[in-house]
Amino acid sequence: MKTCYYLGWFNDFFPTHLADALSRDVTNRQSLVMISSDPASTAENGVIELSWLQEAGILFNDYHVINYETDRTNAKHLLKVASMIFLLGGDTVKQNQFIHEYDLIQSIQQSEAIVIGASAGAINMSLSWLCSPFMGYEVSTPTIFQGMALNDFSVLSHFDLEHHMHIVKQELALLSEELPIYLSNKDCALRVQGDQVDIFGDVYLYANRNITKLPETTSFHTD
């Protein structure tokens, strides 16, 4: 049963209850494979995201970053044997184009690794998402992008909900009629394992044009 973590962004480190949950889930710590959100640049190596894991005491024997310098065959092999796959935050569109161009989606879906994504990475893990100029993207018209479909919902992660909820309601209204959308900003996460959905921090559900703040999970099980 695949376990997925959809993260917002963290100003410091994971809150204790999130760190504890992830520590219990990550029993195999052989290989961490990170997928760049700026694959044309070798400068992106997930330093911030790694600091969250390191502070939580989640360390691996091997670390890899998949970008355009990675051979496609090797990229798929790394994903197949990964203990954890981490889609890094950054440029959502570039990362989306890269995972489609490199044909990585099936490899990630079939991997037994825990999959986590931060910000852009979390968005691209979802079924589909709206790329809109009103939400900070450099596009002329709103466009639906297809994600990795690790779960049957959409995610809006690391967006300033506190000051722009009205934009979210307007822009995502139609999409909310097609599938549920989980909304989050900073210092929060969504953990999904089978039918179980666990909430960490301030997370909202937007479905059928209605927004509901979800209660935080106080206890949960891990396989």
Side-chain angles (χ1 to χ4, degrees):
M1 183 183 302
K2 184 175 291 297
T3 301
C4 298
Y5 281 79
Y6 299 79
L7 310 179
W9 198 256
F10 298 88
N11 291 324
D12 295 307
F13 302 111
F14 292 149
T16 301
H17 57 310
L18 174 58
D20 290 344
L22 194 55
S23 293
R24 287 193 292 269
D25 280 327
V26 187
T27 55
N28 179 354
R29 303 189 181 184
Q30 179 60 41
S31 175
L32 172 63
V33 177
M34 295 172 282
I35 300 179
S36 175
S37 67
D38 189 6
S41 171
T42 57
E44 182 181 278
N45 52 15
V47 171
I48 295 177
E49 291 92 333
L50 280 174
S51 72
W52 303 336
L53 294 174
Q54 291 166 353
E55 180 67 18
I58 303 173
L59 307 176
F60 296 85
N61 294 333
D62 300 311
Y63 295 84
H64 305 276
V65 178
I66 294 178
N67 54 30
Y68 280 124
E69 289 200 345
T70 311
D71 176 80
R72 295 191 189 197
T73 301
N74 186 42
K76 292 185 178 182
H77 171 72
L78 290 173
L79 293 172
K80 182 178 180 179
V81 301
S83 308
M84 174 188 284
I85 299 170
F86 200 147
L87 285 95
L88 301 177
D91 193 314
T92 319
V93 174
K94 287 182 180 179
Q95 186 178 66
N96 186 276
Q97 293 172 338
F98 177 64
I99 59 178
H100 282 284
E101 180 183 343
Y102 257 51
D103 190 28
L104 301 179
I105 294 178
Q106 187 175 39
S107 297
I108 296 171
Q109 290 174 336
Q110 294 178 348
S111 171
E112 296 181 1
I114 288 176
V115 183
I116 68 177
S119 190
I123 294 170
N124 278 320
M125 285 167 58
S126 61
L127 177 61
S128 60
W129 55 277
L130 179 68
C131 181
S132 168
F134 301 103
M135 300 175 75
Y137 291 101
E138 295 182 359
V139 293
S140 56
T141 58
T143 305
I144 297 293
F145 277 63
Q146 299 304 308
M148 297 190 301
L150 297 183
N151 295 104
D152 294 332
F153 52 70
S154 183
V155 168
L156 175 63
S157 178
H158 192 195
F159 191 75
D160 187 3
L161 300 175
E162 292 82 358
H163 301 99
H164 298 98
M165 188 65 86
H166 62 290
I167 295 176
V168 172
K169 290 180 179 179
Q170 177 178 316
E171 291 299 296
L172 297 180
L174 290 177
L175 185 60
S176 78
E177 295 179 349
E178 299 178 15
L179 72 168
I181 308 170
Y182 288 93
L183 315 171
S184 68
N185 189 8
K186 295 180 179 180
D187 301 317
C188 56
L190 185 74
R191 173 185 179 271
V192 183
Q193 187 181 74
D195 295 330
Q196 178 70 29
V197 178
D198 295 302
I199 305 298
F200 303 86
D202 294 332
V203 179
Y204 300 81
L205 178 63
Y206 193 17
N208 296 314
R209 294 179 179 259
N210 293 313
I211 293 182
T212 305
K213 186 175 182 181
L214 300 174
E216 282 199 74
T217 301
T218 56
S219 63
F220 54 89
H221 70 277
T222 59
D223 284 349

